[in-house]
Amino acid sequence: MRALCEACGKPQPPDWTPGGQCVHCGKAVRRELRCFWCVKWTPAAKFCRSCGAETVEARVFGAARMLKDAGTDRFTVPKQLRDFDPEQVENFTRIYQRHAIAVARHVDDVRFLERFLRQKAWSDALEDQLIPQLPWPEETLARMSAPPPQPGDDLSTARALAKDSPFPTTRALATLVRLRLDDWSAHKDACSVFYTQEPALKAEAALTLTSWRVLYGVGRPREQGRELYDELKRSTFKLEAAVRLASLGTTDEGLLKEALTSNDPETSFGAALVLGDVDRLQAALKGGELEKSAAGSRLIQLGVIKPVVETIEKSPIEIQRELVESLVRRKGPAPEAAETLLEIVETTSDDSLRERAVRVLCRQLRPAWIVRIVKAGKGDAHIFQSLLQAEGLEPASAVELGDHLLRAGRFASHQYGLNGLAEKGLMPATFVPSRFGAADDKTRLEMLRFAELQLAHGGDEALHAFVMGVVWGKFSAKVRAGAWWALHRWYKSLGEYRGEGPFKLEKALIEKFFGTVAAFGTKLAAVLRDHDTLKEVGYYEMIANVLPTADEEAVDALRSPELIDALLDAMKGDYWPNTLEGMIKLVARLGADERWRSKVLGALRALGKKGNYHYDKALRNLELSEFGLPDENAWKDLPPDFVPSRWEKATPAGRAELLKVADQQLIYDHGDGLGPFLLKVALAGNPEAMDIYEDRIRENVGLHRDACAYYSELVAVLPIALRETEDPKTHRFLQNLFRDPRPTDVDEIAAEGEAGRALIDAMLERAAMKGDLSERVIRHLAVSGTHPSWREKVRAALQRLGSEGERALRQFPPPEVKTTPASLAKEHQEKIFRLMAGPGTLDHKKREAARLKAEYEAKLKAL
């Protein structure tokens, strides 16, 4: 039997009494009973309005169902119930009750769940579902008669039903109830319930998932947000749905104000949260834990913090955690709660709560709090982060924090907030240098990264010099390399493509960074002796780039046995080839000093790297230094008098190199005035000089004063060439020189005095030799040999040279003879002797002798 309202159609609760009005609308209620045949509810009349079967009293309903199960037709059952023995009817009823009790148990389970649900028809629906199935087969009855849940609180009962109920709908409703009872672990399963195909269950799930308790306990919906919103818009529970829609972003002011006065505490409190009703929220601070948490969070959001402070102080840690998190989300400082938050920092055992309290405090940090917070934080990186990023942090506090980090071993680039001190310029540039010596290597590397950031945001020169000092300082290989990488990255950030930086082995730069060149030389020697340092990636490349950059002043100042020995030892190591080449370049320049040249040359040659360009070049430069010569690339820019001024004192090997210098100067047109020098050297017996002269100068020189600007120098050196040279090019030059004798040559040569006489003597010696040059010289002597000072000597020499000499003599003037009586007498006697000894008749000879006598007497008389 049940009672159904005739006006609104809603069933009455189990405790409704006959004659009462509808509890829903107050209208008249009619009594209904189930038809034993179709089990549908029908008005309490004689026949069922659905199937036409005769109705039976409720007390024999079970017996009627048993008869139906036995195969009796609908019209016979009522008659049999009336004809059966009452004990038989009672027996049928007892059998049925076993099944009915099982159904009632499951329906009562749902009635229990309905206490927490918006819709209340779930138990009736289950009953309507199960009654038509009775009586069950024995195995079904056994399964449906499992023991009920163990007695316990509401949540444990709901959990048991969600786990053990044989009905999916009951399990789904139990899951929703678990969530309504703040069992947040059921949230995922409740979301699954929302996706059911049953509209009523979907609507109930939507209301549950969006209640204020779930929103505060679990969070706002994400993936199903839009679908929940649409379902709430369709909900028949308008006030409840309005509160939930407002939480999701759609506000209906009218419905919300109505919901604020609702008799349902959940609905009214949810409306207060949405509307920000301060009075209602402050009152809720004295409620349950979730109410405290939700109300406090909303008040904090509204900026009403002072009333919440006491709640934070006196609440369990879970509520403290939520309320402090609300302060964090609020973004601004909370001075009203400062002391409470500081107490939490110092007393709580919850690391997460402590960190969040510190985060709020750091929005208006007082210097006096720093030590207390650091001490309570026990090295927590997140707390250090909040302190380092605190608003209005002062430089003195920044230094204090940096020292705390160092003591805690947490001074590291991955410590959030630390880099901000460098970016904001809060940490002085002296921080790292003043504390570097006391740190271990791991911390030193982190300090160097911090110094790099300071350089990037300020470029302090003293800090720059400090880090450069670490690069070359007495530190481990890792620290040296870390310092270099810090500088390298900074240099690149400034726009340097290679990131090599300004430092070079130049005297001015060395003194800028290290004070004196000698001090740096000691550091460089120590680095070169450290195998691990020279193996560090990046560092060995830096060494390779720096070593070849030394200027002459630095080279002079760096020369020391310590550095040279370090270089000689290091270049034997198994280092990067470019690093070794840099060592070779530098040691070759240092070894140019005669004190170490031999030692360095021997060490370089012992390396046996012939064929390597840099090695060969270094060896070559070192060998050139023996002769005072610079690198070959500088030869073309040397002054024109460089070679002539060093020629006389040079050794034969040195002269050979000097000639190469002259050649380079002439190639690049920097050899003004070298022609006379080269010609002098060439004619003095150096064929290499003549090669250069002929290839680079090619002057058409003649042995004439107007054809040679350096005539006197040429005359002075020609005797050696004429006597000694066997060089073909010198021969050709001399042939060209003597090619065109002029009448004026004799006086020009004579004007050179002893040098001119020496030239004539050398020409006579060359004339006596065979060859084209001798012929040219003989022809020249025909002109230049006619001077009275040497004419007879030349004539005599030419008379001994055969036909070439006779041809030359024909150009000579007759000799000047001084006549005396004795010479006339001798000449007369010679003529008479030749006459008598020659052919002719006696008469002819007498007549000729008479004529000669007359001629002799005439000449004698003339004297």
Side-chain angles (χ1 to χ4, degrees):
M1 186 73 70
R2 76 171 183 177
L4 196 71
C5 178
E6 294 182 348
C8 65
K10 293 181 179 180
Q12 303 306 301
D15 59 351
W16 180 85
T17 57
Q21 301 297 317
C22 175
V23 299
H24 301 289
C25 66
K27 303 289 184 174
V29 177
R30 72 169 182 266
R31 297 177 65 197
E32 292 187 336
L33 51 76
R34 284 190 185 275
C35 171
F36 78 90
W37 187 263
C38 67
V39 296
K40 294 180 180 178
W41 291 100
T42 186
K46 189 171 183 179
F47 298 102
C48 174
R49 293 183 180 178
S50 296
C51 67
E54 183 181 348
T55 60
V56 298
E57 294 180 11
R59 64 182 181 81
V60 294
F61 178 83
R65 290 295 296 172
M66 295 301 294
L67 289 174
K68 179 181 182 297
D69 184 63
T72 306
D73 64 75
R74 76 180 74 178
F75 303 110
T76 305
V77 170
K79 182 177 181 301
Q80 286 183 334
L81 289 174
R82 288 191 293 271
D83 294 341
F84 276 171
D85 186 292
E87 291 185 3
Q88 181 71 16
V89 173
E90 182 67 22
N91 186 50
F92 277 136
T93 300
R94 282 197 303 270
I95 295 172
Y96 181 83
Q97 284 303 317
R98 292 170 55 208
H99 300 263
I101 290 171
V103 170
R105 173 267 175 105
H106 291 296
V107 171
D108 286 343
D109 287 344
V110 176
R111 286 198 178 103
F112 162 77
L113 298 174
E114 285 175 344
R115 291 164 47 197
F116 309 99
L117 300 171
R118 296 292 172 186
Q119 302 176 67
K120 307 296 183 180
W122 303 105
S123 57
D124 291 342
L126 180 63
E127 187 177 38
D128 291 343
Q129 174 189 343
L130 296 181
I131 292 298
Q133 301 174 11
L134 302 184
W136 284 315
E138 285 301 320
E139 62 272 14
T140 303
L141 177 61
R143 180 164 50 85
M144 294 297 182
S145 301
Q150 292 292 327
D153 59 16
D154 292 343
L155 180 56
S156 61
T157 301
R159 285 173 176 164
L161 292 176
K163 178 182 178 183
D164 299 327
S165 175
F167 305 108
T169 299
T170 302
R171 292 197 299 273
L173 293 172
T175 297
L176 298 179
V177 170
R178 286 176 59 197
L179 194 59
R180 282 190 176 275
L181 294 174
D182 301 342
D183 182 1
W184 312 132
S185 65
H187 184 263
K188 184 177 181 181
D189 293 334
C191 291
S192 300
V193 173
F194 174 72
Y195 289 107
T196 183
Q197 297 300 315
E198 186 177 343
L201 193 55
K202 189 179 184 73
E204 189 72 45
L207 291 170
T208 300
L209 288 169
T210 54
S211 71
W212 73 263
R213 303 186 73 88
V214 174
L215 293 180
Y216 273 88
V218 180
R220 295 175 62 84
R222 295 182 181 179
E223 296 178 358
Q224 67 272 44
R226 185 65 207 180
E227 295 172 82
L228 283 169
Y229 177 85
D230 293 340
E231 187 63 35
L232 290 172
K233 294 287 285 186
R234 294 191 291 267
S235 177
T236 58
F237 297 90
K238 297 300 181 181
L239 292 182
E240 292 85 346
V243 173
R244 287 156 173 78
L245 287 169
S247 299
L248 298 178
T250 300
T251 302
D252 186 325
E253 292 287 344
L255 288 176
L256 286 175
K257 290 180 180 179
E258 184 179 349
L260 193 62
T261 61
S262 171
N263 293 327
D264 176 22
E266 181 177 342
T267 301
S268 61
F269 183 66
L273 288 172
V274 172
L275 293 173
D277 188 323
V278 174
D279 293 338
R280 177 74 176 82
L281 294 174
Q282 285 183 324
L285 292 176
K286 296 180 173 57
E289 291 187 1
L290 194 60
E291 283 81 358
K292 287 182 181 179
S293 177
S297 297
R298 184 68 171 114
L299 286 170
I300 290 171
Q301 184 182 14
L302 294 170
V304 184
I305 298 175
K306 190 173 182 179
V308 186
V309 174
E310 184 179 355
T311 302
I312 297 175
E313 293 175 351
K314 298 180 178 180
S315 295
I317 194 168
E318 292 78 13
I319 296 179
Q320 285 184 337
R321 188 183 296 120
E322 179 60 34
L323 294 179
V324 172
E325 185 65 36
S326 297
L327 289 172
V328 172
R329 288 194 295 268
R330 184 172 171 268
K331 303 300 183 184
E336 307 97 321
E339 291 302 324
T340 299
L341 293 173
L342 193 59
E343 182 179 355
I344 289 175
V345 170
E346 293 181 320
T347 60
T348 185
S349 59
D350 188 308
D351 294 339
S352 177
L353 175 59
R354 181 187 300 109
E355 184 273 326
R356 281 159 173 73
V358 170
R359 194 183 302 181
V360 178
L361 288 171
C362 286
R363 292 171 182 167
Q364 199 172 33
L365 182 67
R366 298 177 189 171
W369 294 346
I370 292 177
V371 175
R372 295 173 64 183
I373 292 173
V374 169
K375 184 177 180 180
K378 301 174 183 177
D380 188 328
H382 298 92
I383 288 179
F384 276 122
Q385 175 185 350
S386 297
L387 291 169
L388 292 168
Q389 295 177 329
E391 294 290 336
L393 185 67
E394 299 175 355
S397 299
V399 171
E400 186 177 7
L401 279 172
D403 287 333
H404 280 299
L405 287 169
L406 288 173
R407 286 193 292 272
R410 303 201 65 91
F411 194 97
S413 57
H414 59 263
Q415 171 61 60
Y416 287 106
L418 180 61
N419 294 344
L421 299 184
E423 294 169 2
K424 297 173 184 177
L426 293 175
M427 192 72 85
T430 57
F431 181 83
V432 171
S434 61
R435 292 154 176 82
F436 198 78
D440 58 25
D441 279 2
K442 180 180 178 182
T443 304
R444 284 171 175 170
L445 289 173
E446 298 297 340
M447 295 173 81
L448 286 169
R449 294 188 183 99
F450 183 78
E452 177 187 345
L453 285 172
Q454 287 186 296
L455 289 172
H457 292 87
D460 185 82
E461 279 302 314
L463 182 59
H464 183 193
F466 167 76
V467 179
M468 183 64 75
V470 176
V471 172
W472 300 96
K474 193 175 182 180
F475 298 100
S476 69
K478 294 294 182 185
V479 172
R480 284 171 174 160
W484 170 244
W485 278 113
L487 291 179
H488 175 72
R489 289 187 292 265
W490 177 47
Y491 295 149
K492 291 196 74 171
S493 72
L494 297 176
E496 281 195 28
Y497 174 72
R498 295 177 61 86
E500 294 177 3
F503 182 67
K504 294 177 175 59
L505 295 189
E506 298 175 358
K507 187 172 182 291
L509 286 173
I510 293 174
E511 290 175 345
K512 172 185 174 182
F513 285 105
F514 300 98
T516 66
V517 178
F520 174 74
T522 301
K523 294 176 181 292
L524 177 56
V527 166
L528 292 170
R529 293 190 183 280
D530 190 331
H531 179 270
D532 292 340
T533 296
L534 295 183
K535 280 291 188 179
E536 281 292 331
V537 175
Y539 197 96
Y540 57 69
E541 184 176 2
M542 179 273 292
I543 288 287
N545 292 330
V546 167
L547 293 183
T549 62
D551 61 11
E552 289 304 321
E553 287 184 312
V555 168
D556 291 340
L558 283 171
R559 282 194 179 99
S560 69
E562 179 187 25
L563 180 55
I564 290 175
D565 288 344
L567 283 165
L568 294 179
D569 289 340
M571 68 187 188
K572 301 173 186 175
D574 58 336
Y575 303 123
W576 190 43
N578 289 16
T579 304
L580 292 173
E581 289 170 0
M583 296 175 187
I584 290 170
K585 292 175 185 177
L586 180 59
V587 79
R589 297 183 65 189
L590 296 176
D593 189 293
E594 62 182 7
R595 291 173 291 177
W596 296 288
R597 184 183 298 118
S598 177
K599 179 179 181 178
V600 174
L601 267 173
L604 285 176
R605 288 169 179 156
L607 288 178
K609 293 181 177 289
K610 188 175 182 180
N612 178 285
Y613 170 78
H614 297 287
Y615 170 80
D616 291 342
K617 185 176 179 63
L619 199 60
R620 169 73 172 149
N621 287 342
L622 194 57
E623 291 168 346
L624 289 174
S625 69
E626 183 178 358
F627 312 120
L629 296 179
D631 181 272
E632 290 181 349
N633 292 331
W635 287 0
K636 61 183 177 61
D637 298 320
L638 292 173
D641 66 338
F642 182 85
V643 174
S645 64
R646 287 161 174 76
W647 184 261
E648 292 302 326
K649 295 182 179 180
T651 63
R655 289 183 172 184
E657 298 298 341
L658 287 171
L659 287 176
K660 294 176 184 177
V661 174
D663 187 45
Q664 287 293 304
Q665 290 180 297
L666 290 168
I667 289 173
Y668 290 96
D669 293 330
H670 293 166
D672 294 343
L674 282 178
F677 166 75
L678 287 173
L679 191 56
K680 177 182 177 181
V681 172
L683 295 177
N686 194 312
E688 290 79 7
M690 181 54 71
D691 289 341
I692 298 171
Y693 182 86
E694 186 175 89
D695 292 343
R696 308 298 180 200
I697 298 178
R698 298 171 184 165
E699 291 180 324
N700 189 18
V701 178
L703 193 56
H704 318 297
R705 189 172 294 277
D706 61 350
C708 182
Y710 40 90
Y711 180 82
S712 296
E713 296 175 4
L714 180 61
V715 169
V717 78
L718 275 175
I720 297 175
L722 288 170
R723 290 189 178 97
E724 299 178 4
T725 187
E726 298 295 335
D727 176 53
K729 289 185 177 180
T730 305
H731 272 257
R732 285 197 298 272
F733 174 79
L734 292 174
Q735 286 176 345
N736 185 62
L737 185 67
F738 290 102
R739 72 186 182 279
D740 183 27
R742 299 178 186 175
T744 56
D745 289 346
V746 62
D747 293 329
E748 291 176 354
I749 293 174
E752 295 300 318
E754 290 301 321
R757 182 178 295 277
L759 173 58
I760 294 297
D761 291 342
M763 292 171 66
L764 292 174
E765 291 182 30
R766 170 53 69 174
M769 302 178 185
K770 301 294 184 182
D772 296 338
L773 177 56
S774 299
E775 295 175 0
R776 291 282 181 96
V777 170
I778 291 172
R779 287 196 289 272
H780 199 283
L781 283 170
V783 175
S784 58
T786 60
H787 192 275
S789 299
W790 51 72
R791 179 174 54 192
E792 294 306 320
K793 184 177 181 179
V794 171
R795 183 191 299 274
L798 291 177
Q799 288 175 348
R800 296 191 293 270
L801 296 180
S803 59
E804 286 295 327
E806 290 179 2
R807 280 196 293 272
L809 285 172
R810 293 191 191 108
Q811 299 180 42
F812 264 62
E816 295 182 4
V817 180
K818 187 175 181 181
T819 307
T820 63
S823 63
L824 284 176
K826 183 178 180 182
E827 181 182 359
H828 177 68
Q829 289 176 356
E830 289 174 355
K831 289 179 179 180
I832 294 297
F833 177 78
R834 286 195 299 272
L835 177 64
M836 291 303 156
T841 62
L842 182 59
D843 291 339
H844 170 71
K845 292 178 179 180
K846 288 180 179 181
R847 285 194 300 275
E848 186 62 24
R851 187 187 66 77
L852 290 174
K853 182 179 179 183
E855 183 180 298
Y856 164 70
E857 291 176 347
K859 290 180 179 180
L860 185 60
K861 185 178 181 180
L863 289 175

